């Protein structure tokens, strides 16, 4: 009977994976930040009809981009050029022009103007 108890106790301790040493000490986090982690600045913009959009200006190792999220849909367009009045982003049939307070989206001839919300 004593042998059975010793065997069961050993099996339980082995199965629990008991570590030696101070278990209250946190191990060093070895996760590293990817070099391609985007740096973003997000603002709230408002369309003429009152709908809201979150516009993020970001930069990765691949270059600058603009990301516009509204109605649970997001478009992300790469930076194309810079003008005196602001930045131009182009991808496929989408062209986005932005300056400090206005973002204009041109998608196949349809224009959508977004103005920066108050306090942003």
């Amino acid at each position: 009977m004593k042998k059975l108890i010793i065997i069961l106790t050993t099996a339980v301790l082995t199965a629990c994976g008991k570590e030696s040493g101070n278990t209250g000490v946190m191990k060093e986090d070895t996760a590293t930040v990817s070099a391609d982690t985007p740096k973003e600045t997000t603002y709230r913009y408002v369309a003429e009809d009152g709908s809201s959009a979150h516009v993020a200006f970001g930069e990765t190792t691949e270059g600058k981009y603009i990301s516009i999220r509204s109605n649970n849909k997001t478009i992300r367009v790469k930076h194309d050029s810079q003008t005196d009045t602001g930045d131009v982003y182009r991808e496929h049939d989408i062209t986005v022009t932005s300056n400090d307070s206005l973002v204009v989206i041109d998608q196949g001839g349809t224009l959508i103007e977004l103005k920066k919300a108050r306090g942003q």
Side-chain angles (χ1 to χ4, degrees), residues 33-44:
V33 176
S34 171
D36 200 31
T37 302
K39 298 172 187 142
E40 285 188 350
T41 305
T42 303
Y43 301 99
R44 190 172 71 83

Side-chain angles (χ1 to χ4, degrees), residues 33-83:
V33 176
S34 171
D36 200 31
T37 302
K39 298 172 187 142
E40 285 188 350
T41 305
T42 303
Y43 301 99
R44 190 172 71 83
Y45 280 72
V46 179
E48 289 178 9
D49 65 358
S51 60
S52 181
H54 291 276
V55 179
F57 299 91
E59 188 170 355
T60 64
T61 55
E62 296 173 359
K64 292 167 61 174
Y65 66 88
I66 188 169
S67 176
I68 303 167
R69 179 172 175 80
S70 180
N71 295 330
N72 292 325
K73 295 186 182 347
T74 303
I75 60 170
R76 184 171 166 163
V77 186
K78 294 179 184 177
H79 187 263
D80 183 57
S81 62
Q82 188 167 5
T83 64

Side-chain angles (χ1 to χ4, degrees), residues 3 20 41 50 53 77 83 85 91 94 108 113:
K3 288 182 182 180
S20 61
T41 305
V77 186
T83 64
T85 57
E91 195 161 329
I94 299 173
E113 282 190 13

